[in-house]
Amino acid sequence: MTALQSSTESTITVRNPATGAVSGTVPIDDPETVAAKAAELVQAQPEWEALGPTGRKRWMLKWQGWILDNADRITEVLMSETGKSHVDASLEPVATGDAIAYWATHAKEFLADRHPKAHSPIYRVKRFTTAYRPYPLVGVITPWNFPFAMPGLDVPPALAAGAAVLLKPSEVTPLSAVEFVRGWAEIGAPSVLGLTTGYGATGQAVIEHADFLQFTGSTATGRKVAVACAQRLIPYGLELGGKDPAIVLADADLDRAANGIAWGGLFNSGQVCVSVERIYVEAPVYDEFVAKLAARVGEVRQGPDGDTGAMATDAQRDIVAQHVDDATAAGARVLTGGKPTGVGTFFAPTVLADVNPSMTCMTEETFGPTLPVIKVADENEAIRLANDSPYGLSATVWTGDSRRGERLARRLEVGAVNVNDALVNVFCPGLPMGGWKQSGIGYRAGGPSGIIKYCRQQAITAPRLPTQKSELLWYPATKRGMAIALAFMRMFSARGRRRFGLRPRNG
C-alpha cells in the first residue's frame, strides 16, 4: 500500500509505490479537528467575499505565481508519492496555474448580476436582478490519481466565487495537497483555504460541515457521499468512474488514431477517469490498426524518466492483472505487455486483441494501462456497444471527416466527446466536465456555470416607478381588483379568444 496508518493511529505514512521508500507523513484529523478548521474558515470567509472578484484576483494570481515558481519541487513531491514519471507529474502544477488564471480573470464577468427581462408587460414596472452569493464553506474531496491537479480543477473556481474551501485529499497521496495549500499560506493570502488529512471519518466530517461538497472518486464511494449530503440537504457535485470508449472508423488516419489512443489510454498509467479503456474498430482497418497500436504501445517507456510511471497502489495493479488474466482465459490475445514488471507497482502497457464485450476489461473500470480492442462491422455497431455501459464520462471518435465525427458524438451517451483527440476537454475550463449515467452528477468547469455552482442564487425585485399604497391583489381583496388583475394576466399570456375570457368557437 502507498499510505499506511501508523501504530499510534495519529499519522499516515506515505510511501513511493515505485520504490517503497517513505515519502512523508501527515496527521489523521479527527472530527473535532475538522470542525475547528471548518469554523476558522467560515469566520474568515465574509472578508474574502467582501474583496470582490477584483480583490480576490490579486491573491489568486499571486498564488499562481508561487505554484509556477515552485513547479519543480511540486513535481518531485508528486513523483515521490504516486510513482508517476517526470513527464506525467510535471504537467500538474502548470495545468493548475492555467486553471487559476482562467477563474481569477473571468470571475468578475461570470459573477456579475444578471437582469432578466420581464416575461410579461405586467411586470415591466419591476426591475429584476439575479445576484450570486458564494456558499460560505465548500468541501472538496479529491482522489489519488492527480493529487495536485484535481484540487487545481475544483478549488480555484470556489475561491474565485468568494467561498472558503476545506480540502481533503486521498489518504494515499496527501503530500501534494500539503504543497497546494502551503503556497496559499506562503503568499500571505487570507485564511480561506484549509487542509484536512485522514481516512473516511475525516471525509465524513468535511461533509458534516460543508455548505457545498465537490467529490471526485469511485462510483461506489460517490453513492455514499450523495446519501450523506442528502441527509444534510446540502448541494453536491460528483465526478465518478468511467469506462471511456474510442471508436476508430475506416476513414481515420490510423497513425494519428494509434498515437492518440495510446496516449489517451496510457497517460498516468491509465489512472485517469477519462482514460481510453475500450476500443471499437471498423472491420476493414482492424488488423492494420491493431498492429500500429501494439507497435506504438510497445515503445512506451516506464520509469521516472520514461513516459509513464507506476500504479498508485498494489490493489490497483492487481485489478489490472485480474482484468488481463480474465480476458486471456476467455480467448483474448496479448499483443504487448500483459503482466506486472516485477518492480514496485509497475504494470507493462498492454494491448489486447480478439476481445469480446462480456469480458471484465470491457465492462468494469480498469483504471490501468490496458487497451482492449474489438472489431465491429460499422459505425452503428460501434455506437451501440459504446453506449452499452453503466458509465458515461467521455469518448473519442477517430475519422477522416470531422463533421461525421461530430454527428457520431451526438449519438454517444457521454458527457464529453473528443474528435480525433483525447483528454483535451479536461484542459479547457470553458467546457463542462461531467458524467452521465453512473459517472457522476453535476459538472466542473463550463465557463460561468463552473463558478456559479459554488454560489447561492438570489432573486431581487424592485420597483421601476413610484409605488402606490396598495396593489390590485393585496388585501382587502375586491372583485373589481381581482377582475382587472386576471384580465391583464389573460391578455398577455393566453391566445386567441381565451385572451378575453371567451371559449374558442369550435368549443
Side-chain angles (χ1 to χ4, degrees):
M1 294 293 293
T2 303
L4 299 174
Q5 191 165 355
S6 71
S7 59
T8 62
E9 297 187 347
S10 62
T11 62
I12 297 172
T13 299
V14 182
R15 295 182 182 275
N16 187 328
T19 66
V22 173
S23 301
T25 62
V26 295
I28 299 173
D29 288 346
D30 58 25
E32 292 74 20
T33 300
V34 176
K37 290 183 176 182
E40 291 176 0
L41 291 165
V42 170
Q43 185 176 11
Q45 184 271 332
E47 289 188 14
W48 175 246
E49 180 183 353
L51 287 177
T54 302
R56 296 192 291 269
K57 175 183 176 180
R58 181 172 68 88
W59 285 112
M60 293 186 68
L61 292 182
K62 193 172 182 179
W63 184 37
Q64 182 213 36
W66 185 96
I67 290 171
L68 295 178
D69 290 345
N70 290 274
D72 290 343
R73 181 163 64 86
I74 294 167
T75 297
E76 293 300 321
V77 172
L78 278 161
M79 294 173 67
S80 76
E81 67 175 346
T82 64
K84 290 176 185 275
S85 68
H86 188 275
V87 169
D88 285 350
S90 63
L91 183 62
E92 293 196 41
V94 178
T96 296
D98 182 54
I100 291 171
Y102 177 83
W103 296 113
T105 56
H106 286 82
K108 183 176 181 180
E109 170 195 352
F110 292 163
L111 295 172
D113 289 353
R114 306 291 195 267
H115 298 286
K117 294 181 179 179
H119 75 283
S120 165
I122 295 174
Y123 296 99
R124 287 179 184 168
V125 296
K126 301 292 184 182
R127 181 171 63 252
F128 296 147
T129 301
T130 302
Y132 303 99
R133 294 285 308 281
Y135 290 102
L137 181 61
V138 171
V140 176
I141 300 177
T142 55
W144 45 257
N145 57 334
F146 289 97
F148 199 88
M150 279 296 178
L153 288 176
D154 294 325
V155 173
L159 289 174
V165 179
L166 182 56
L167 171 63
K168 193 278 178 188
S170 167
E171 65 273 15
V172 177
T173 54
L175 303 180
S176 299
V178 171
E179 297 302 311
F180 187 85
V181 176
R182 185 201 306 278
W184 186 260
E186 287 195 359
I187 64 171
S191 301
V192 289
L193 174 57
L195 176 71
T196 184
T197 52
Y199 293 91
T202 306
Q204 178 62 43
V206 171
I207 297 172
E208 290 173 0
H209 296 281
D211 301 299
F212 182 101
L213 195 285
Q214 179 65 38
F215 171 84
T216 303
S218 70
T219 298
T221 304
R223 287 194 181 96
K224 297 176 182 178
V225 169
V227 170
C229 290
Q231 288 175 333
R232 289 200 56 230
L233 292 179
I234 64 168
Y236 57 89
L238 306 177
E239 203 258 84
L240 308 177
K243 192 69 181 175
D244 291 6
I247 296 174
V248 181
L249 302 176
D251 65 350
D253 178 334
L254 298 186
D255 288 317
R256 179 174 177 83
N259 290 338
I261 288 173
W263 182 72
L266 302 180
F267 176 64
N268 200 40
S269 295
Q271 298 168 117
V272 188
C273 56
V274 290
S275 289
V276 174
E277 288 214 6
R278 49 197 175 108
I279 307 164
Y280 304 97
V281 183
E282 284 193 298
V285 296
Y286 175 82
D287 292 334
E288 183 181 0
F289 172 79
V290 167
K292 288 179 180 292
L293 181 64
R296 184 68 192 90
V297 171
E299 296 171 350
V300 172
R301 301 165 299 143
Q302 289 186 290
D305 298 319
D307 299 311
T308 65
M311 308 299 295
T313 66
D314 295 336
Q316 198 58 45
R317 177 201 58 203
D318 294 345
I319 290 172
V320 178
Q322 185 63 53
H323 283 191
V324 173
D325 291 345
D326 289 348
T328 55
R333 290 184 296 124
V334 175
L335 300 186
T336 188
K339 293 184 180 298
T341 66
V343 177
T345 56
F346 285 94
F347 194 97
T350 300
V351 175
L352 295 169
D354 301 336
V355 174
N356 71 62
S358 66
M359 295 176 178
T360 54
C361 65
M362 297 297 287
T363 60
E364 299 178 10
E365 186 175 28
T366 304
F367 223 59
T370 61
L371 293 167
V373 191
I374 285 182
K375 182 191 298 185
V376 295
D378 53 31
E379 66 180 47
N380 291 323
E381 183 182 16
I383 293 289
R384 178 178 61 80
L385 292 174
N387 287 338
D388 186 20
S389 172
Y391 298 107
L393 200 51
S394 72
T396 66
V397 177
W398 304 84
T399 173
D401 182 347
S402 62
R403 291 188 179 277
R404 180 189 184 193
E406 291 183 42
R407 288 195 300 271
L408 293 186
R410 295 172 188 274
R411 297 172 60 190
L412 288 165
E413 297 170 358
V414 296
V417 181
N418 292 299
V419 177
N420 291 333
D421 212 331
L423 312 186
V424 67
N425 65 294
V426 177
F427 301 98
C428 301
L431 289 170
M433 181 184 177
W436 297 7
K437 304 179 185 177
Q438 293 184 26
S439 286
I441 295 174
Y443 298 84
R444 61 160 51 101
S449 62
I451 194 170
I452 289 173
K453 81 172 189 178
Y454 292 117
C455 296
R456 299 161 294 179
Q457 298 186 42
Q458 187 175 46
I460 302 172
T461 67
R464 289 184 179 274
L465 303 174
T467 57
Q468 306 299 315
K469 292 186 177 181
S470 187
E471 298 285 339
L472 287 175
L473 296 181
W474 289 5
Y475 300 141
T478 66
K479 290 184 178 180
R480 181 174 180 274
M482 181 62 70
I484 292 173
L486 294 178
F488 275 109
M489 292 175 72
R490 276 181 170 272
M491 182 179 298
F492 294 121
S493 65
R495 298 292 181 268
R497 292 167 60 87
R498 291 189 180 91
R499 295 176 63 192
F500 307 103
L502 303 174
R503 290 180 178 273
R505 288 193 177 91
N506 59 9

